[in-house]
Amino acid sequence: MIDKDIMRDFIKRSLQEDIGTGDITTLSTVPEGTKISGRFIAKESGIICGIEVARAVFDYADKSIEFNCSLKDGEHVNKGDIIGTISGDAASVLTGERLALNLMQRMSGIATNTNEAVQKVSGYKAKIVDTRKTTPGLRVFEKYAVKAGGGANHRFNLADGVLIKDNHIKAAGGITKAVEAARRNAPHTLKIEVEVETIQQLNEALKAGADIIMLDNMDNNTMTEAVKIAAGRAIIEASGNMGEKDLEEVAKTGVDIISIGALTHSVKALDISLKFD
Amino acid sequence: MIDKDIMRDFIKRSLQEDIGTGDITTLSTVPEGTKISGRFIAKESGIICGIEVARAVFDYADKSIEFNCSLKDGEHVNKGDIIGTISGDAASVLTGERLALNLMQRMSGIATNTNEAVQKVSGYKAKIVDTRKTTPGLRVFEKYAVKAGGGANHRFNLADGVLIKDNHIKAAGGITKAVEAARRNAPHTLKIEVEVETIQQLNEALKAGADIIMLDNMDNNTMTEAVKIAAGRAIIEASGNMGEKDLEEVAKTGVDIISIGALTHSVKALDISLKFD
Amino acid sequence: MIDKDIMRDFIKRSLQEDIGTGDITTLSTVPEGTKISGRFIAKESGIICGIEVARAVFDYADKSIEFNCSLKDGEHVNKGDIIGTISGDAASVLTGERLALNLMQRMSGIATNTNEAVQKVSGYKAKIVDTRKTTPGLRVFEKYAVKAGGGANHRFNLADGVLIKDNHIKAAGGITKAVEAARRNAPHTLKIEVEVETIQQLNEALKAGADIIMLDNMDNNTMTEAVKIAAGRAIIEASGNMGEKDLEEVAKTGVDIISIGALTHSVKALDISLKFD
Amino acid sequence: MIDKDIMRDFIKRSLQEDIGTGDITTLSTVPEGTKISGRFIAKESGIICGIEVARAVFDYADKSIEFNCSLKDGEHVNKGDIIGTISGDAASVLTGERLALNLMQRMSGIATNTNEAVQKVSGYKAKIVDTRKTTPGLRVFEKYAVKAGGGANHRFNLADGVLIKDNHIKAAGGITKAVEAARRNAPHTLKIEVEVETIQQLNEALKAGADIIMLDNMDNNTMTEAVKIAAGRAIIEASGNMGEKDLEEVAKTGVDIISIGALTHSVKALDISLKFD
Amino acid sequence: MIDKDIMRDFIKRSLQEDIGTGDITTLSTVPEGTKISGRFIAKESGIICGIEVARAVFDYADKSIEFNCSLKDGEHVNKGDIIGTISGDAASVLTGERLALNLMQRMSGIATNTNEAVQKVSGYKAKIVDTRKTTPGLRVFEKYAVKAGGGANHRFNLADGVLIKDNHIKAAGGITKAVEAARRNAPHTLKIEVEVETIQQLNEALKAGADIIMLDNMDNNTMTEAVKIAAGRAIIEASGNMGEKDLEEVAKTGVDIISIGALTHSVKALDISLKFD
Amino acid sequence: MIDKDIMRDFIKRSLQEDIGTGDITTLSTVPEGTKISGRFIAKESGIICGIEVARAVFDYADKSIEFNCSLKDGEHVNKGDIIGTISGDAASVLTGERLALNLMQRMSGIATNTNEAVQKVSGYKAKIVDTRKTTPGLRVFEKYAVKAGGGANHRFNLADGVLIKDNHIKAAGGITKAVEAARRNAPHTLKIEVEVETIQQLNEALKAGADIIMLDNMDNNTMTEAVKIAAGRAIIEASGNMGEKDLEEVAKTGVDIISIGALTHSVKALDISLKFD
């Protein structure tokens, strides 16, 4: 579940962004006390996600709104399916409508996208994971959607994972020195991951004792070789424009992890509408 | 330009999201005082956007970073073009890198997308405009990107535009009553827009004196008829899954405005990389 | 109604301002568990306003406080009238007392003031509206009070209305160019208002297609002429020290709108007291 | 001086309130790079106040704005006097204009008002002081203005002064018990003030060792008697609708302090304009 | 009691510090819906404090948690005593556990420490008070704990007490001038305290009318003399490394107040554990 | 280094806590423009820490303050050593003084304390690490001080380390199931740590593939046995009231890590004073 406090702060900020000093149309035209009810309908097939967030949005807007939904985040919906129903004070419901839809559509788009990737590698050991290429401000929501779609999460931020890239290697004076520095300075609770571009670098990283090795933009043959060389001494992660690759072929190389930035940086929202009765 | 304070608060929050308690990899492996320099490169052709935001990100991270860029938001780049250069303290540059790239890629994706739509309707009077289907927290950035791509903006929030939809009409007791209520209660500085689904509703809205009329999900023939009936008495806006329509055909109907949610809700990021020297 | 979130943030900040690290007098002298009850009494006649805000203050301080009030914002009270009653935990009630009174007195002062202006122009078509000359931090409360007194609102902030003044005209290169620039760049949902000082400027603004024209500091005769010239082509707004003018005479000129900064910038609080039993 | 952090947070919030998502008029009509200059002019005589706050507003908006002012807060201005000059980027100056003027007008109104009261009691020992009847959110600014006008400050919030009123007395079981409780529980750095309505209560408060005694709504004769009885054993403060009393007569009673809520709750702004060149 | 709003903001911030983007261990291993119950046990004897804060922590984390405790802040516990019991949703309880324990242990440590000091001077009139040497961010909690231990509070911040030290004296041009300046400029509701290092300074401070005199780092004999000289004309406060002094000997000098920085700056936490059933 | 933004927010909040509405003593007695200079002096020997934080405090208070210090965090000071010098505007320096001292004293106390522990185990492979038993709000500062004293850091929050304790084990249905669940659900970048109380649990954890095993409250003999059994298959961490143990004896058991809550939960501040010239 997404942390309640992070969610609440996000909803508050987002509603303020959407409402400004007040929903002048509703305030001007809808008599106080008007009730409204409606249904959330999937306009496309996919994996639904964001139901709990939408619930929190309406709860924030007005605790007396009734939002009923038998589906759970991560379940499949078909075009035309009713996702849930809502009823309550018209002004309150209309206040939360746009934010709830924007979030559900985006999160469902990510979950659906992720699930397609997961399906492609089913039967292989490779896990599909996300990256830090998330929308600023929405990271926990987008990473939650990746999990809802059957994927797994890479680190959440720069503090909860060590990932040594070319710049770190250059600054530290080589892979070996970089790994040693990380082992000396970083908390012992974090694994040490090294990004490599060649088999030679792979060998150095293995020797230095890296826990995870990210193969950056390698072709499938080289990756297959890398997996053999590693032989279980480190977790092997395939990376680099994976959104445009044939994922099954990548999985066949034997890598443990495939990380895909496009899961979150190029999202096609799932079409969901709120039809009022 | 984007308001400096909104931008600053957003950057602060986003960096905190990305950094957490500290960039443990850089802190562990990069010696204090290490310098770094690099170039931002377009990996695809498109409209560049987010340069000023990226500049603000690096300025926030460390005022001594030098970020040089001769391009301006809204200009065209070709694949392989150098967008700008950066140099400064390695830890500071690496801190801002991900956020700056995430924003530039997303904003450039929106600007490119918008520009394609604008090109399609060039020669017609129709303006391409955005909607409130933006990513929560990023509205001012996404609407800025729409303008950079040659589009125009619809209202920014529920307070700076009156848009009477079916629920408002139902609650108010009809289009005429809704328009009257809005005219009585909303500030006189706002135009009154009414969403209609039929020619009959259009006629009622025109008679009630609506300033703008949104044609919701009408086919092109009906829209052509609507434009004729309106005859300049109101601004006519085409709306409803416009992202999937042939925009030139829509423009031929003679509408003044075409609003497209997909400009911001389904964004393919433009691929931009930061290559260090 | 005032947005719940804006109200809540304001109350939090204001209570912190008034309480500091704690109400040391009450904490020192009032035994825990002491109950208190009292009545809010109008010490002057006028229009009551701020009841809902006061309710929110006490609700914020302690949800178990009972605040009963049969009056509604905008109703008339006579000197000596009981506005409402309150009962609950003494420390909680005393915590909210000063803020609730400060707000009710100020908002009632504004509503009363506005209502006097509205009465003066009754029988004419002119609406009484406010300006941006509000107390920093209290704009939504003060504009709400103007409506409670029978007035209407001008724009809430610089984003939800276009008002072209002399500096904009000078910078843009004339009224015509300024109006064109605004029409090109501002959202199509906003009307374009131009401030003019002479009949010549009025003519240029009308020709440029301004939606609203503000007559700045014109005498009544000139305003009468302006109204005739405009002949319904634009909304005409009288402005400039209107707080010191004979409003009926202004209304007689036929203007549509009279905007008065003094409604909010020079407020005499309505005297209201909280008498404990 | 006003605390820099409190001032900065206040300015940030207030500018956000006034600007919303952006000054659409200026953004639409004023070309980037346009410069502007102007003069602040007193349209009425009075005591000027808020110069330092205005400077901070413009500095917050844009550090390159030049704001020159030879006057200091608390000095007298005559109608027509130039208070200061400003020059800089047009968009930045127009951004800060309204907030700076709103604050200067309000603070100067308070300072002028206070100074009139101070003049009335000059020659007597009575000090003019403010109360907690300030505008929510503006307390430090309004109390600063009272000092600029020659007055003094009562406590800033409920934590930095003990003021025992009738409710505390009732809850504690009498004046003596309340004073004892306060002496036992409150920090020894705070004086203990008791509000009394009768000579009998005055005697009890004196006997209990109150440091300050507030005479609530007493007539002048009774106050004269009270001052005699106290005979320097406590500071004597006159209170209760002092804004409507003949202050010289009150001062003649010999009280040490006259506290006036109207100094801040019913403010007539001093008219100040910013005339651009 | 601690102000509810200060407490709530503190808990929110502290939980965010402790939780980051989510309690990954609990989320990963504890099935949703798991219940848990346990007991808070004193592992050492002392004065318990922080119960109400712990209650607020768990209430913030999840309103459905049941936290029962018959003890009150300030009561004595023996090693092995059960302080209270808790039951509820496992994830919620585990979320609040560390913060609640950290606070209770620290506050109980302070209360216990204070109480030992208070016991040492029992029989003398001297009060034990704290200083501003508190942990940043925890002042109200630590000062509350001092009271729970039987001590009293010095000023809470620089605004609610006048304490003239050597630098102020030097800048003002002597004790007499400093006291006069404070009397002229500070609110009349605050006592004026002067820090002195010699008998000569004491005499000057008394003559200047200081309300409180702080004897800074004087030996006991000099303090005895100081008390005699003051003869009740001012409150006398002993100060300066009092944490390392024989407090009974200090009390024997006859001072009214002994202020001890070590009460809050060098705290040994009281060992408290939460044992789950 | 500590993240600049976290530091800045903390300083802002802490200064507001210490200053309230203003330093009334300084404002009342110190003439504007008064300059001051002084030296920070160690009153005890130890490891200095907090210099960079103190610098940030004074920089925040007033950028023109000069704070010079040739020492670095982590260096040893002897009683009487001058740590650094400061000069600047008196009011600004006095504003930051208390906060800077409170932080330096506390952080130096922690660094000194940690360093003593590190010295005791020098010659053994065991690293001294901290825990989450930090002061709420000060975690990054306290963990930074532990490093300055030669220690290392355990996880910073619940998101950047998996630590499976008895409650998680019970809820998951045993150690094996808990480790499997963590491996399935937590990011692959985090090591999995399991807390065990018996050799039997140790064996189960090793078999389940735990990366780190925390020995909770085991005696030294059992720990020696545990280290032998683990034989390098997992990192072994000793834990449980280590602050009261003979650390050299613990180190002799061969554990890799000794985590000590007392490093941060029971801190004796290092005495540092700011002597003005």
Side-chain angles (χ1 to χ4, degrees), chain D residues 1-6 8-9 140 147 156-157 160, chain F residues 8 12 16 19-22 24 27 32 60-62:
Chain D
M1 267 303 297
I2 297 168
D3 180 73
K4 281 191 303 182
D5 242 29
I6 294 178
R8 191 175 166 84
D9 285 353
V140 295
K147 283 198 97 165
F156 273 69
N157 57 43
D160 64 4
Chain F
R8 191 177 166 83
K12 178 178 179 174
Q16 288 178 333
I19 296 174
T21 50
I24 195 70
L27 289 170
E32 268 189 57
Y60 187 90
D62 181 349

Side-chain angles (χ1 to χ4, degrees), chain B residues 12 16 20-21 27 60-61, chain F residues 1 3-6 9 156:
Chain B
K12 178 178 180 172
Q16 288 178 333
T21 51
L27 289 170
Y60 187 90
Chain F
M1 269 301 298
D3 180 74
K4 281 191 304 182
D5 240 31
I6 294 179
D9 285 352
F156 273 69

Side-chain angles (χ1 to χ4, degrees), chain C residues 8 12 16 19-21 27 32 60-62, chain E residues 1 3-6 8-9 140 156-157 160:
Chain C
R8 191 176 167 83
K12 178 178 179 171
Q16 288 178 334
I19 295 173
T21 51
L27 289 169
E32 268 189 57
Y60 187 90
D62 181 348
Chain E
M1 267 304 295
D3 180 73
K4 281 190 304 181
D5 240 30
I6 293 178
R8 191 176 167 85
D9 285 352
V140 295
F156 273 68
N157 57 43
D160 65 4

Side-chain angles (χ1 to χ4, degrees), chain F residues 97-167:
Chain F
E97 176 190 10
R98 184 74 268 141
L99 176 59
L101 281 173
N102 280 1
L103 284 167
M104 286 178 80
Q105 292 181 343
R106 180 170 188 83
M107 291 173 77
S108 299
I110 291 173
T112 301
N113 219 0
T114 302
N115 196 250
E116 284 166 16
V118 169
Q119 297 306 331
K120 281 177 194 154
V121 304
S122 96
Y124 300 89
K125 71 168 168 182
K127 273 185 179 181
I128 300 297
V129 312
D130 50 35
T131 66
R132 278 169 52 238
K133 295 183 179 175
T134 55
T135 313
L138 273 74
R139 188 165 288 170
V140 295
F141 300 92
E142 297 187 345
K143 283 186 170 263
Y144 174 87
V146 166
K147 284 199 97 166
N153 295 326
H154 210 292
R155 60 179 176 171
F156 273 69
N157 57 43
L158 293 168
D160 64 4
V162 174
L163 175 39
I164 299 172
K165 299 193 177 183
D166 49 359
N167 292 299

Side-chain angles (χ1 to χ4, degrees), chain A residues 164-183:
Chain A
I164 298 172
K165 300 194 177 181
D166 49 359
N167 292 299
H168 304 110
I169 293 169
K170 199 184 304 175
I175 287 176
T176 308
K177 285 189 179 162
V179 171
E180 280 168 2
R183 198 173 292 124

Side-chain angles (χ1 to χ4, degrees), chain A residues 79-144:
Chain A
K79 184 174 172 176
D81 281 1
I82 294 176
I83 297 165
T85 61
I86 191 165
S87 64
D89 176 68
S92 301
V93 170
L94 295 173
T95 289
E97 176 191 10
R98 184 74 269 141
L99 177 59
L101 281 174
N102 280 0
L103 285 167
M104 286 178 79
Q105 291 181 344
R106 179 169 190 83
M107 291 173 77
S108 298
I110 291 173
T112 301
N113 221 0
T114 302
N115 196 250
E116 283 166 18
V118 169
Q119 297 305 333
K120 283 177 192 153
V121 304
S122 97
Y124 300 89
K125 72 169 168 182
K127 273 186 180 181
I128 299 296
V129 312
D130 50 35
T131 66
R132 278 169 53 237
K133 294 183 180 175
T134 54
T135 313
L138 273 73
R139 187 164 290 170
V140 296
F141 300 93
E142 297 187 344
K143 284 187 170 264
Y144 174 86

